[in-house]
Amino acid sequence: MRKFSITILLLTLACLVNAQTSVSFQHLGNATFQNNLINPSLIPEGKLFIGLPVLSGVHLHVNNKVSYNEVFTKEADRIEVDVDKILSNLQRQNTLSVKANINLLHIGYRLDAGPLLSLTINERVDFDFVYSEELVDYVFKGNTNFLNQKVKISNAGSVGTHFREFGLGLAAPVNDQFTFGVRGKFLIGFANVSTPGNFKAQITSNGEAFQVDANWKNATLRSSGKDIYSGDEGDLGSHLIFNGNKGVAFDIGGTYKLNRYYTLTGSIVDIGFINWKEDIENRSLNDTTFIYSGVDLADLDNITQTLEDSLFDKFEPTENSNPYRSWLPVTAQGSWIYHYSPKIDFYVTGGSRLVQRQIKMLYGGGVTYKFGRAFTASASATKLPQQFFNIGAALTARGGPVQMYLAADQVVNFSVPDAKAFDFRFGMSFVIGRRASTQPESGLSRGPIAGAKGLDTNVFLGKKVKTKKRDGIYSIIKRQKRRELKNKRTQRDTSVDKKSLNGRTGKKNTDEQ
């Protein structure tokens, strides 16, 4: 029952909450310390891990439904926005996501008993804009295509945040099968622009009565840090070191080895919020319902006042500087791993991300191959939200204490003007020493036998031998030499029998004489 509960928990991680990115990098497993930032339960191989500012990790991710060439068209000597081309490529719900993450510092230390203690500092920028095809059509082409129809724009919203996170993490093997990881994070916010997730609006155009019925609720645009960044208020330098915009968050993860062939692993990260208190500017429209039937052209002398009374006053925003709270987009991912051999792992991965109360899913599969102790590579096929399948790859290499990695989820036929999405990571860190312990290696990989030569080892008749290859449950080894049976007891019994025989023979000869 306990195994079943843990299995269900890890499978549910990928379905709770737009989706986790960098699938090819995820499939490297515990090959790098940076993989622990995605899943805090992964314990890398090594003793001490050190990452320097910027060099230790840079991550850039972009995902949009339309590419540059699907938005802009060149006409003669000028570039114009092609609305028809945009609308032909949009789906019912669309998302523009941009993410940038720079690792400023990380230090990890692995105890002899197995647990990993870590300190991480990351600079992050996250931006998400959710919009519908109807909204774009209505904005650019008016209500011609929506006579006597309702246009719902309640599913539109945005959130953009620049913040820094300080994390303290612990990953520890609970037993031989299950490893649990958790990381608590202290957040400092620098800038934010967002709309509340409960914004609702609806517009109906009545073609017969020539009127527009509209209503909205919780129409608010919140911002923090705008005047500081523009230089109109405060000191930007001190603001980027420490300020009153604070928050907390935590990450959790688990890795469960079902048996020698299958492993489940998953995580939920960025469960938290930031309270914004500095340089606040909120603009809101009062909750309202109104009907606009146009103006009386016979009274052109008072047309300005008529428009103000019937229309403009409805869109007069109210401003305040009240503090507010914004939540981080919660991200989850989970993988089912098949260990084909000590060198080869097959992955099936799912992920999701919650933004503006909307869930988008990601799916992917791939293979990971270990080239000795120095190299690990992965190749994957990924289905991102609102995208077709993409081919990605990742590679990590280690020489001495230096480890480098490179990963991209779009590596085939990539073209910047035609690209709708890409995900790119690179970095390096220092890995010093190896954990001295008699316990088996933790994480996703099955470690070699301590003291044995070669990467793939086994035991035959009490002696360590090198495995040539594996065939199912069998290990193929070189033909062994015949070994002589050495049994002290057998030798002692044989010696006694010989003495007894010699004694009886000597007595018989004496009698005969």
Side-chain angles (χ1 to χ4, degrees), residues 179 217 271 333 389:
T179 302
K217 186 177 182 180
I271 308 172
Q333 65 88 19
F389 278 97

Side-chain angles (χ1 to χ4, degrees), residues 180-238:
F180 178 76
V182 61
R183 178 167 38 247
K185 299 188 289 189
F186 173 71
L187 312 178
I188 300 177
F190 302 127
N192 174 264
V193 57
S194 59
T195 58
N198 58 353
F199 165 66
K200 295 181 179 180
Q202 180 175 288
I203 300 175
T204 303
S205 298
N206 191 323
E208 297 180 359
F210 298 100
Q211 67 183 26
V212 175
D213 302 345
N215 64 80
W216 56 74
K217 186 177 182 180
N218 301 315
T220 302
L221 179 63
R222 310 172 300 188
S223 68
S224 173
K226 181 175 70 69
D227 291 336
I228 295 178
Y229 271 72
S230 63
D232 297 334
E233 180 181 313
D235 179 65
L236 180 59
S238 61

